[in-house]
Amino acid sequence: MKNYLLSLLLLFLVFGLNAQNFTSLDPGFPGLDEASLSLGDYDNDNDLDIILSGRKSNDERTTIIYHNDNGNYSPLAMGLVPVKTGATCWGDYDADGDLDLLVTGNDIDGASARIYNNNDGAFTDIQAGLQGVEEGNSVWGDFDNDGDLDLVLTGDWIAKIYRNDDGVFIDLEIDFGYFNSSAAAWGDYDQDGDLDLLLTGDSGAGAVTYIYRNDEGEFVKIEAGLPGVMAGASGWVDFDNDADLDIFLTGFDDALEAKFYRYRNDGHGVFEQVTAWMPGVAKSSVAWGDMDNDGDQDVAFCGKGSGCGLYINGIYRNEGDYFSDINVDIYPLTDGKMEWADYDNDGDLDLFSTGARVDETPQTLIYRNDAGSNTFHPNTAPSGPTEYDTQVFGNSVEFSWNAGSDNETPAEGLTYNIRVSTISNSCNVWSPMAEEIAGFRRVVGKGNARQNQNWRLQGLPEGEYFWSIQTIDQGWAGSGFVAEKTFTLTTTSVYEMNATEDIFIYHAADKYIELDDDLQQNNRIRVFDVQGKMLLDKSNVDIISLQDYHAGIYILHYAAAGKTATKKISVLE
């Protein structure tokens, strides 16, 4: 009997020490389904406010911002278009240091898409002329590396990219095909310093999943071999902390079976399916974040399972090689949204959840993370990089830095956030969406340079620029910005050559560059003219042809296998 009781006590201690406690709070938000939510510090007071959109129980549409005052939320009358079946997304599109707003969905007149400019907390529709979308999602991302936020819109049988030209949004008219019940996500999966695009949804001929590689603003569909999903949430996440982006996919397949897939990036842009551990879910929301402060990303999800009336939810802890259900009592919802965010600034991620319950009752709740001192310590902010520099090529600049550090997140799991301005200790060129000195993150998620340790901006005007960088951990906390540095752009800027090892063999007669055998994998090659204009940017190549180049001097920059080199290349007639 004593051994039996001792065993029970040990089991209690083991499970008690590993328990994750979440307290359900009703903050007074309206219950919503066909809903969206997004956390962001719109008023720059160092706490996270929230925007909600969706359909109330009386079938009324709403879009409303709630102001966070020390963990207490109050509604604000902002005059935003009321929508359902849409998306809300914070982003500083004009780089003025505060968060603007993208709102899409079904308003009373049909599908819509609006951008609101934040002017000291007042939001004004800029009449951007976007095509309306619903039953999809829409996200900001600087795909052309010019420092301002472009956007992708999906849903209502379209997928469109709009380029931001000084606050005017230009439809690139790229033919992605049809997308409904769709999802979109930006991510640099091949680590070449620009944003690639993941699209999923109903193509009209069935469920599809496509990856489009960004090649200098041209989007090339790769043969990734991923299964199609629709009516779900899909995106990029580094779930194994190896510094490259993996993929998760949820939604219905063509047989209307709910799915949850995980695919690991092998580091060379090839995706290998691994066990999901989570049950299939559609009409779903999936939220990633380090809820237990152990340095890797855990996952919360909700939606509809396979089978009539089956609503499911879960919070699964990332155990490294697998994910485990922590069996937290949260309401299963569908047609809604979940997001991790530390709304009370206590050092752990809380969970926001909105959607419809199985009885069709809409609800919106906060699950406050009350893990307790026996489970883990509060998240601490990381430290910024200690070595960082720039290289200038005409009107382009490349930033590079060493890894930051963090008590919880390993170096491979950290991301980075850069600010650039023509004014010291400010941001008016490339917004970090963070407080410019102490680094409080105004949005939830990765930094603007993602998991890379180099990034570039291009097409900037001549002049002197100030820049700094911060580190972001898996709990979405940011370090302070490191000591500011400067760089200067002129129309005749050429990077000053440094003596480096000879790693290229140049054949003048045949006009090509051949790389050594050990440098032909996972590389990145760029060629510039002497004015700094980029002429070539390719990855994973072994031979670079110069046949189409006029006679003259060019600058070749190479990075791979831990080596970098910059060389003058003389092209002969």
Side-chain angles (χ1 to χ4, degrees):
M1 177 64 71
K2 290 182 179 179
N3 289 336
Y4 175 74
L5 292 175
L6 180 60
S7 297
L8 285 178
L9 178 60
L10 289 173
L11 284 172
F12 172 78
L13 289 173
V14 168
F15 284 101
L17 287 173
N18 289 288
Q20 192 84 14
N21 301 314
F22 288 85
T23 301
S24 174
L25 303 177
D26 184 355
F29 300 150
L32 299 173
D33 71 353
E34 299 179 335
S36 179
L37 65 83
S38 185
L39 278 293
D41 180 17
Y42 85 91
D43 54 356
N44 292 357
D45 65 349
N46 290 353
D47 55 25
L48 294 174
D49 312 296
I50 186 171
I51 181 170
L52 295 161
S53 71
R55 183 175 65 90
K56 298 180 181 179
S57 57
N58 62 0
D59 207 37
E60 177 187 353
R61 298 169 180 82
T62 189
T63 302
I64 189 166
I65 293 173
Y66 280 78
H67 173 251
N68 184 353
D69 182 12
N70 197 30
N72 299 308
Y73 285 92
S74 56
L76 303 175
M78 293 293 188
L80 305 175
V81 59
V83 296
K84 63 178 182 178
T85 63
T88 55
C89 190
W90 299 103
D92 185 7
Y93 81 87
D94 54 358
D96 66 349
D98 56 26
L99 295 182
D100 310 301
L101 189 57
L102 172 67
V103 177
T104 68
N106 179 276
D107 66 21
I108 194 169
D109 296 317
S112 66
R114 290 175 169 85
I115 295 173
Y116 291 90
N117 177 257
N118 181 354
N119 184 12
D120 292 330
F123 288 85
T124 303
D125 185 349
I126 69 169
Q127 304 294 319
L130 308 177
Q131 182 164 336
V133 292
E134 58 179 312
E135 296 187 8
N137 78 317
S138 304
V139 285
W140 300 103
D142 179 19
F143 82 88
D144 54 357
N145 288 59
D146 64 351
D148 55 28
L149 290 177
D150 315 296
L151 61 91
V152 59
L153 302 180
T154 72
D156 206 34
W157 302 108
I158 69 163
K160 285 183 174 291
I161 292 177
Y162 286 85
R163 187 182 66 236
N164 181 353
D165 288 350
D166 294 325
V168 177
F169 289 83
I170 308 299
D171 183 356
L172 296 188
E173 298 183 353
I174 300 173
D175 183 11
F176 290 114
Y178 296 107
F179 281 89
N180 198 38
S181 301
S182 51
W186 296 106
D188 183 18
Y189 82 90
D190 52 359
Q191 296 180 287
D192 65 348
D194 56 27
L195 295 181
D196 311 298
L197 183 61
L198 175 70
L199 291 175
T200 67
D202 182 0
S203 70
V208 296
T209 296
Y210 295 144
I211 295 174
Y212 290 88
R213 187 183 65 240
N214 184 352
D215 289 345
E216 284 297 297
E218 299 291 329
F219 288 88
V220 179
K221 184 167 67 175
I222 71 169
E223 299 300 325
L226 301 172
V229 291
M230 56 186 173
S234 302
W236 308 97
V237 59
D238 183 13
F239 55 72
D240 52 3
N241 274 351
D242 63 351
D244 57 33
L245 288 178
D246 312 301
I247 288 175
F248 72 93
L249 305 171
T250 69
F252 288 125
D253 64 12
D254 287 337
L256 297 184
E257 291 290 323
K259 298 295 183 180
F260 199 127
Y261 298 106
R262 287 195 305 137
Y263 281 81
R264 174 177 289 122
N265 186 343
D266 72 352
H268 303 290
V270 177
F271 294 92
E272 172 192 15
Q273 186 175 0
V274 295
T275 304
W277 301 104
M278 284 69 75
V281 60
K283 292 192 170 183
S284 44
S285 178
V286 181
W288 294 87
D290 184 11
M291 57 118 183
D292 53 359
N293 292 341
D294 65 350
D296 52 27
Q297 290 197 51
D298 312 295
V299 61
F301 59 91
C302 65
K304 189 179 186 303
S306 296
C308 182
L310 178 60
Y311 285 24
I312 60 175
N313 66 272
I315 299 177
Y316 278 62
R317 175 179 285 116
N318 187 341
E319 307 285 5
D321 293 331
Y322 66 96
F323 285 77
S324 63
D325 187 353
I326 67 171
N327 296 309
V328 171
D329 184 18
I330 61 176
Y331 285 110
L333 304 173
T334 189
D335 288 320
K337 184 74 181 292
M338 284 181 157
E339 188 166 307
W340 292 107
D342 185 9
Y343 84 98
D344 50 3
N345 288 339
D346 67 348
D348 54 38
L349 291 180
D350 313 293
L351 183 63
F352 288 70
S353 176
T354 185
R357 296 167 56 170
V358 68
D359 62 1
E360 299 185 356
T361 302
Q363 73 165 36
T364 306
L365 295 175
I366 300 174
Y367 294 95
R368 190 182 64 217
N369 189 343
D370 295 323
S373 59
N374 288 332
T375 305
F376 64 85
H377 58 275
N379 186 34
T380 56
S383 298
T386 55
E387 297 181 16
Y388 47 101
D389 208 346
T390 54
Q391 296 180 9
V392 171
F393 302 87
N395 64 355
S396 300
V397 58
E398 177 164 312
F399 306 91
S400 61
W401 55 92
N402 66 352
S405 61
D406 187 61
N407 291 335
E408 293 79 28
T409 303
E412 294 79 7
L414 298 171
T415 67
Y416 300 93
N417 205 29
I418 298 174
R419 64 167 167 83
V420 179
S421 182
T422 58
I423 302 170
S424 179
N425 292 324
S426 181
C427 74
N428 62 11
V429 175
W430 195 14
S431 174
M433 294 188 285
E435 197 279 325
E436 290 88 349
I437 306 299
F440 178 83
R441 289 285 282 154
R442 309 233 183 268
V443 293
V444 178
K446 305 178 185 70
N448 56 23
R450 295 347 196 235
Q451 71 275 20
N452 299 44
Q453 287 182 238
N454 58 78
W455 202 261
R456 66 183 168 86
L457 290 184
Q458 60 190 15
L460 301 181
E462 292 186 38
E464 183 182 34
Y465 293 83
F466 301 85
W467 77 283
S468 184
I469 187 170
Q470 69 173 161
T471 306
I472 308 297
D473 67 17
Q474 300 279 34
W476 314 135
S479 71
F481 281 91
V482 297
E484 195 171 60
K485 290 189 176 184
T486 64
F487 62 89
T488 301
L489 300 183
T490 69
T491 56
T492 59
S493 294
V494 177
Y495 177 65
E496 182 179 350
M497 299 296 104
N498 291 319
T500 57
E501 60 181 318
D502 291 326
I503 63 173
F504 300 116
I505 303 170
Y506 175 49
H507 299 264
D510 297 324
K511 289 190 177 180
Y512 70 89
I513 299 169
E514 180 179 350
L515 306 184
D516 289 348
D517 290 343
D518 63 335
L519 300 172
Q520 293 180 5
Q521 297 295 322
N522 200 26
N523 59 36
R524 184 183 181 192
I525 303 294
R526 282 169 292 173
V527 177
F528 302 83
D529 65 17
V530 292
Q531 279 75 44
K533 180 181 179 182
M534 185 180 295
L535 305 176
L536 176 73
D537 188 356
K538 287 190 175 182
S539 299
N540 299 319
V541 294
D542 53 4
I543 293 177
I544 302 100
S545 173
L546 301 173
Q547 291 288 338
D548 296 331
Y549 289 60
H550 298 297
I553 302 297
Y554 297 86
I555 310 301
L556 187 146
H557 186 74
Y558 172 92
K563 300 179 180 180
T564 62
T566 304
K567 293 289 186 180
K568 285 183 179 178
I569 301 297
S570 177
V571 175
L572 308 177
E573 289 291 357

